[in-house]
Amino acid sequence: MVGMSLLRSAAGIAARLSPLKTGNAATNLLARTIPRTEKVAVRWGHGKKMFVIKPTEYYDKRFLRLLKYYVLLTGIPVAIIVTSVNLFIGEAELVETPEGYEPEHWEYYKHPITRWISRNMFDSPVKDYEKMMAAIHIEKEKADMRLAQLEVRKHMRQRGDGPWFHIETVNKELIDTTPKATPDD
Amino acid sequence: MPLDFNKDAYPEPPRQTPVVDKQTALPNPALILSKLFYYSVDLPVTTFREAVDSIQAKNKSVYYHQKFRRVPDLTQCQEGDYLCYYEAEMQWRRDYKVDQEIVKVVQERMRACHQREGSSYQQNCSKEIEQFTEVSKNYQLRYGDLGAYASGRKCLMKQKERMMAAAQTQNA
């Protein structure tokens, strides 16, 4: 017991006196001295170790992490689909329209994805054209009817011989003309 | 360029490969560089392209060029016939697009000629230059300052102004 403490104190004195000597550093276990931090062998370590105080990067890193996640969530499948379509199903070739053949509306486009969208999601351009013409026709009929109504209104108000602009008057049979029937009343 | 371009509009320049007359034993650096380029860039790209083509050859599809019927013009429409107006307007828009593409093709020919001739382009491609100036002048006269909301009616009114100006200069 006493011998141990002697050994320990001797190791401690040796460590304090010449701390850089290799044998003395191992005596930390015996000496219970705190090793000087800048003197401990550390990989990549040179210079005084600093505790850098900087503002939190948590929110910024979280934003960038979530941004990358949500962009890649649909970005990667779309990239894979488009790449595989371009590699395995190529673009169409331009040929002359054969005699007597009416191509479908999607057969006028080159890229396979455009063709697919045109076939499954859009109406044919002919149908769109006809829809627009139908809308124009309906609006034209409405405009014509409104003009005709104004014209009719003008005439009926002027001439008074039509069903509009009637002012309800009392029935002639209900008038009692007996007080003024003869000139002597 | 697509494979079926007009060979007369884009003539190939005469080949100028020199006769090889090697007088030294030193290696030719141009040859070394061209071989390097061939093996590092040309060969991988060509093999990849051929592989992709062989895969795509199984499901090959075609597309056609749509031809539209001619419909009556704006000048041949009755007044108040909005359906006729719409069809004439759509036809005018298609013709506008076609004219833009025509100008682009003529411009492309002039630029190709410029590239081919190098410094002597002004005297060697006078035909292309003259064709381009005429086509772009006519385009400017017809569609020039119509703007983003251009329509068949505005184009017709511009034509009317042109005709009136021409009549005035003729009378005066």
Side-chain angles (χ1 to χ4, degrees), chain A residues 86 93 95 107 115 133 140, chain B residues 56 61-64 80 87:
Chain A
N86 279 332
E93 276 172 0
V95 296
E107 287 176 359
R115 282 166 80 106
M133 299 254 274
K140 178 186 194 309
Chain B
Q56 283 182 2
S61 49
V62 293
Y63 75 110
Y64 308 98
E87 297 215 19

Side-chain angles (χ1 to χ4, degrees), chain A residues 77-94:
Chain A
V78 163
I80 289 174
I81 288 171
V82 172
T83 312
S84 51
V85 163
N86 279 332
L87 277 181
F88 301 118
I89 309 169
E91 293 184 338
E93 276 172 0
L94 183 60

Side-chain angles (χ1 to χ4, degrees), chain A residues 85-98 101 103-104 106-110 115 125-126 128-129 132-134 136-137 140 143-144, chain B residues 4 48-49 51-53 55-68 71 79-91 94:
Chain A
V85 163
N86 279 332
L87 277 181
F88 301 118
I89 309 169
E91 293 184 338
E93 276 172 0
L94 183 60
V95 296
E96 289 293 327
T97 324
Y101 174 63
E104 303 281 343
W106 68 81
E107 287 176 359
Y108 289 115
Y109 299 106
K110 189 165 60 160
R115 282 166 80 106
V126 177
D128 282 336
Y129 194 86
M132 186 62 168
M133 299 254 274
I136 291 173
H137 184 65
K140 178 186 194 309
D144 287 341
Chain B
D4 55 346
F48 178 68
R49 179 78 210 166
V52 166
D53 272 339
I55 297 172
Q56 283 182 2
K58 288 169 206 137
N59 26 15
K60 207 66 191 143
S61 49
V62 293
Y63 75 110
Y64 308 98
H65 176 68
Q66 187 162 24
K67 293 183 190 54
F68 292 90
V71 288
E79 183 172 336
D81 186 5
Y82 299 103
L83 292 170
C84 186
Y85 289 173
Y86 178 71
E87 297 215 19
E89 175 69 28
M90 289 294 119
Q91 185 178 264
R94 292 195 290 268

Side-chain angles (χ1 to χ4, degrees), chain B residues 4-56:
Chain B
D4 55 346
F5 64 92
N6 185 3
K7 300 276 192 302
D8 295 320
Y10 299 95
E12 272 186 16
R15 298 201 147 246
Q16 290 174 343
T17 33
V19 177
V20 176
D21 184 24
K22 212 169 160 198
Q23 287 173 338
T24 67
L26 295 171
N28 186 3
L31 193 65
I32 292 172
L33 285 172
S34 68
K35 286 280 177 201
L36 201 69
F37 178 79
Y38 176 73
Y39 283 112
S40 60
V41 174
D42 203 349
L43 205 57
V45 169
T46 316
T47 44
F48 178 68
R49 179 78 210 166
E50 278 165 14
V52 166
D53 272 339
S54 66
I55 297 172
Q56 283 182 2

Side-chain angles (χ1 to χ4, degrees), chain A residues 136-152, chain B residues 79-82:
Chain A
I136 291 173
H137 184 65
I138 289 171
E139 291 297 315
K140 178 186 194 309
E141 290 198 332
K142 274 160 68 175
D144 287 341
M145 274 199 238
R146 284 174 189 148
L147 282 174
Q149 189 209 15
L150 284 174
E151 190 74 25
V152 162
Chain B
E79 183 172 336
D81 186 5
Y82 299 103

Side-chain angles (χ1 to χ4, degrees), chain A residues 43-55:
Chain A
R43 179 184 279 200
W44 299 116
H46 64 88
K48 183 172 169 182
K49 279 182 77 164
M50 310 282 275
F51 180 70
V52 178
I53 298 175
K54 44 180 190 190

